[in-house]
Amino acid sequence: MRRLRTTADVLDASADPLIRWAAQALSAGGAAWEHRGAVAVHAPALTRRRRLVLSGPVEGVASLLAAHGRGVELRPLLDRPLAHEVAALMPTPWVEDKPFGWMDRSGSLDLPDDAEWLSTTDGVTPLLRAALPESWAWPGETGVRRWAGVHVGDTLVATAAEAWSSADVGFMMGVAVHPSHVGKGLGRRVCQFVTSSLLTLYGTCALFVENYNAPAIALYRKLGFAYRDITTLLPAV
């Protein structure tokens, strides 16, 4: 088992965008390891969770999970099919916590002219409270870098954030459209703006999505994102 000392070491060890996104943790107190082609990144605080992000061949992932996966409130995060295979190999039982989705894309995307990066976050919090009170990204939160939006008159009616981006994976969170403006294409416009901007900066753009949110998944697919089923594991009690 080989310790990966730097972010560059992690990027050299894995082409998986999920791992490359998690690699930012090495500059914030995290750690990473490689074993038999698999990579694990311990991220102490990534999107509000203490995570162990894993990817690669099942036997290597199982060894990494056995060596580094237990700890208070630690959430191993990996592809769902891989999680089921790994759990079957573990000497002590693990159970699936909550499946959800990871979506990413590379390349380029046209920049719409009716959305913009906001010069102030005034209006973002009321919009999130009305449209997405369960949002993981909020103004002023650590890791949340900036907000984009669409206005109708002087009123902010759609928003999305860049949050928890890594060296070569831009990350989009906090997508919300005011309930009185749903169905007008505003969500697509603000997401296209953020995606286009992050692709230009990072080369890859990614996001989390609830696996039951079919409209959101369909929207992101129209913008060129591919979907992956991911999940978290917990030690069985």
Side-chain angles (χ1 to χ4, degrees), residues 79-227:
D79 283 344
R80 194 178 186 193
L82 176 62
H84 294 167
E85 291 184 76
V86 168
L89 295 178
M90 300 302 292
T92 56
W94 291 76
V95 294
E96 185 175 9
D97 180 21
K98 180 186 177 184
F100 52 108
W102 164 279
M103 302 187 76
D104 64 60
R105 63 152 295 169
S106 299
S108 61
L109 186 65
D110 290 340
L111 189 70
D113 57 11
D114 53 358
E116 61 184 353
W117 291 112
L118 302 177
S119 59
T120 174
T121 58
D122 292 350
V124 173
T125 295
L127 174 55
L128 291 175
R129 286 174 176 162
L132 191 68
E134 70 277 15
S135 177
W136 283 29
W138 290 85
E141 186 172 1
T142 300
V144 180
R145 299 185 181 183
R146 53 182 176 166
W147 292 84
V150 175
H151 289 83
V152 172
D154 294 329
T155 302
L156 182 68
V157 295
T159 194
E162 178 191 355
W164 298 289
S165 292
S166 69
D168 65 354
V169 180
F171 208 66
M172 179 165 63
M173 295 283 280
V175 178
V177 178
H178 194 278
S180 63
H181 290 272
V182 170
K184 300 177 182 179
L186 300 179
R188 175 167 182 160
R189 282 147 60 184
V190 73
C191 287
Q192 183 172 342
F193 174 83
V194 173
T195 301
S196 175
S197 300
L198 298 186
L199 288 173
T200 298
L201 282 175
Y202 301 101
T204 298
C205 181
L207 55 93
F208 286 148
V209 65
E210 300 290 357
N211 62 346
Y212 55 77
N213 192 342
I217 292 170
L219 167 62
Y220 299 136
R221 279 183 166 144
K222 288 178 182 177
L223 293 175
F225 287 84
Y227 179 89

